[in-house]
Amino acid sequence: MLKGKKIVLGITGGIAAYKAVEIVSRLRKAGAEVYVIMTKEAAEFVTELTFREISGHSVSSDMWSKVTHWNVEHIALANLADLMLIVPATANIIGKTAAGIADDLLTTTLLATKAPVFFAPAMNSNMYENPIVQHNMKTLQEHGWHMIPPATGHLACGTAGIGRLPEAIDVFTVIEDFFSAVQVLKGKKVLVTAAGTIEPIDPVRFIGNRSSGKMGYAIAREAQRRGAEVVLVSGPSALQEPAGMRVIHVETTAQMREAVIKEFSDCNVVIKAAAVADYRAKEIAENKIKKSETTMSIMLEKNPDILQELGSLKKSGQILVGFAAETQKLLEYAKTKLLKKNLDFIVANDITKPNAGFNAETNLVKILSRDGAVEELPLMSKKELAGIILDHVIKKMEINSKK
Ligand code: CTP
């Protein structure tokens, strides 16, 4: 997938700069052409010579040095790039880019490129967690630039925490994955719901569930990777918002319903991974409820079933996928939901199994199709499962288009 791809790799002044050597080497072995730009500070940590040898091209570092490419250099590099990767990305380069500052070759190239840009931040934990740095990363992500999250572990400054540059193989894999995505969903709109909805009881409390959003976010990212226009409707989640897609944040089931119904008519695919609150408090107390008796009850009333409503609105060609989180009679309950809600597929999830369901990194599911087929899948990462769910969707789209 990387064969012939031109990657402009920016190296900034962090202790992890030496790890860029292995990344360049891996990219080249996979067939990519790598052009290295080093900042002045990077040159304090690693030498141009190393990168010239390992990349096979002269290293650019100075706006004013002798021209080595055929054009104004930052524009030439910006235009030539199929992708730019900044590794390690210091708080400084992130801040400068987020502010639109272009005061050296790397920052000018970054502002001039139309290629996808990936930053691999690496710095001390306190710097990484600094709200200004976080804000700058978010700004870049909102403009569709990508962050490769740092790893947690021992840091060069002697402390431990978040901020380590991930291993070279992990950075390489992110780039490889990016290019390997077949853009089969280009031109398709995919709506994904994720995390759980919550229902307030009084100004302080709410009724909620254990959904983390990991499954839904993984599906949204995978659909985006395959070229779809993705809208993610998410209940409260601690997860980082995925870049380059529209994210609509909601809290209650009513808000999720409103957002989903508004988007539905021109959607090609809807995947409802959210754990939706089936009931809400009949009355939300205006003030904090004080404790009094030994027992108390809260009257609940039923929420609308969003997926069932979509099932009744569904036009031919639209694909609806639901989830069924069950603790018993998995197949029986999942099948009932598949039919009742007029779905194309349902992902049945036995949440009593270890490493499956809420908040886990992995999931163990069976996928039931409308034609009666049941695919029993082994335990796998939510990212991998997201890919399989989308494979089913794409196959179904192909069948629909032949009808
Ligand atoms: N769902 C929905 N609106 C609701 C409840 C559920 O859209 N009010 C969707 C979920 O997003 C999921 C599917 O319906 O894709 C099944 O959700 P689940 O909670 O497993 O089932 P319920 O239909 O709520 O039935 P029960 O709680 O009785 O198991």
Side-chain angles (χ1 to χ4, degrees):
M1 291 303 166
L2 282 165
K3 212 167 178 60
K5 295 285 182 234
K6 296 185 175 64
I7 295 177
V8 174
L9 190 127
I11 303 174
T12 67
I15 188 75
Y18 73 94
K19 286 194 189 169
V21 176
E22 190 185 337
I23 295 169
V24 174
S25 157
R26 284 183 181 275
L27 289 168
R28 277 202 78 197
K29 275 189 199 139
E33 276 182 47
V34 184
Y35 299 86
V36 174
I37 303 179
M38 275 170 58
T39 61
K40 222 165 60 236
E41 294 74 21
E44 301 289 330
F45 292 90
V46 285
T47 69
E48 278 192 28
L49 182 65
T50 311
F51 285 97
R52 189 183 74 199
E53 293 307 307
I54 203 90
S55 71
H57 292 287
S58 61
V59 171
S60 312
S61 55
D62 190 350
M63 291 279 280
W64 320 114
S65 61
K66 218 170 79 223
V67 170
T68 52
H69 300 271
W70 65 90
N71 218 324
V72 181
E73 193 162 22
H74 64 279
I75 303 296
L77 288 167
N79 286 346
L80 144 161
D82 290 312
L83 180 143
M84 279 192 74
L85 168 65
I86 313 303
V87 62
T90 55
N92 190 45
I93 190 83
I94 290 167
K96 282 206 286 190
T97 319
I101 293 171
D103 63 354
D104 62 8
L105 184 62
L106 182 56
T107 45
T108 33
T109 310
L110 274 168
L111 289 197
T113 194
K114 287 216 154 81
V117 178
F118 284 73
F119 287 83
M123 63 198 79
N124 156 276
S125 310
N126 290 346
M127 284 176 87
Y128 182 74
E129 282 162 359
N130 184 303
I132 298 170
V133 176
Q134 289 290 325
H135 174 81
N136 288 338
M137 288 193 288
K138 195 155 179 269
T139 302
L140 292 175
Q141 286 177 305
E142 280 166 2
H143 291 289
W145 293 12
H146 307 265
M147 293 291 150
I148 302 176
T152 299
H154 181 75
L155 299 170
C157 51
T159 58
I162 187 157
R164 270 173 71 87
L165 187 72
E167 293 309 316
I169 178 74
D170 296 326
V171 176
F172 170 79
T173 306
V174 171
I175 304 306
E176 193 186 37
D177 275 0
F178 181 80
F179 283 115
S180 66
V182 190
Q183 305 268 297
V184 277
L185 290 176
K186 212 168 184 72
K188 306 285 180 206
K189 178 172 167 184
V190 176
L191 185 132
V192 182
T193 69
T197 57
I198 59 172
E199 297 294 347
I201 299 168
D202 69 10
V204 186
R205 290 96 168 194
F206 59 82
I207 304 172
N209 62 66
R210 295 180 192 278
S211 174
S212 64
K214 285 177 187 163
M215 191 66 244
Y217 279 49
I219 296 169
R221 283 208 171 89
E222 189 59 28
Q224 183 190 41
R225 206 168 77 84
R226 297 180 187 211
E229 173 203 341
V230 180
V231 180
L232 174 63
V233 180
S234 173
S237 166
L239 299 178
Q240 184 154 358
E241 196 173 284
M245 65 179 73
R246 201 140 55 84
V247 184
I248 303 172
H249 293 282
V250 297
E251 291 197 334
T252 63
T253 299
Q255 290 166 357
M256 181 170 277
R257 179 189 166 276
E258 196 190 328
V260 167
I261 299 287
K262 210 163 141 193
E263 298 288 335
F264 184 58
S265 65
D266 62 343
C267 281
N268 300 93
V269 182
V270 177
I271 304 180
K272 282 216 84 247
V276 183
D278 289 325
Y279 289 88
R280 62 176 178 266
K282 194 156 196 290
E283 270 161 36
I284 303 169
E286 202 178 316
N287 293 304
K288 183 183 171 199
I289 302 169
K290 304 303 282 180
K291 63 174 167 293
S292 52
E293 308 304 319
T294 36
T295 60
M296 73 169 290
S297 35
I298 299 165
M299 181 66 79
L300 301 177
E301 64 184 355
K302 214 167 186 179
N303 267 329
D305 189 312
I306 308 168
L307 193 53
Q308 192 161 337
E309 198 172 338
L310 297 183
S312 65
L313 294 172
K314 184 171 136 182
K315 289 176 293 204
S316 90
Q318 283 185 308
I319 295 175
L320 266 191
V321 183
F323 273 70
E326 308 291 352
T327 54
Q328 55 173 339
K329 298 185 188 161
L330 181 66
L331 286 177
E332 183 187 324
Y333 286 156
K335 198 168 166 205
T336 308
K337 287 176 190 173
L338 173 80
L339 299 175
K340 194 166 128 198
K341 303 192 188 199
N342 192 21
L343 309 178
D344 295 274
F345 304 104
I346 192 152
V347 183
N349 195 181
D350 181 348
I351 52 173
T352 63
K353 293 268 160 50
N355 300 321
F358 296 140
N359 213 10
E361 293 303 328
T362 50
N363 215 347
L364 180 65
V365 305
K366 297 177 175 45
I367 300 181
L368 283 67
S369 310
R370 212 172 169 75
D371 60 11
V374 178
E375 186 182 6
E376 212 163 308
L377 294 164
L379 188 73
M380 62 177 66
S381 74
K382 288 185 172 170
K383 181 173 185 278
E384 214 178 324
L385 177 59
I388 294 179
I389 294 169
L390 286 166
D391 287 344
H392 277 271
V393 167
I394 290 162
K395 221 181 275 165
K396 178 75 183 157
M397 271 179 174
E398 286 164 6
I399 296 170
N400 286 350
S401 70
K402 281 180 198 140
K403 273 187 189 161

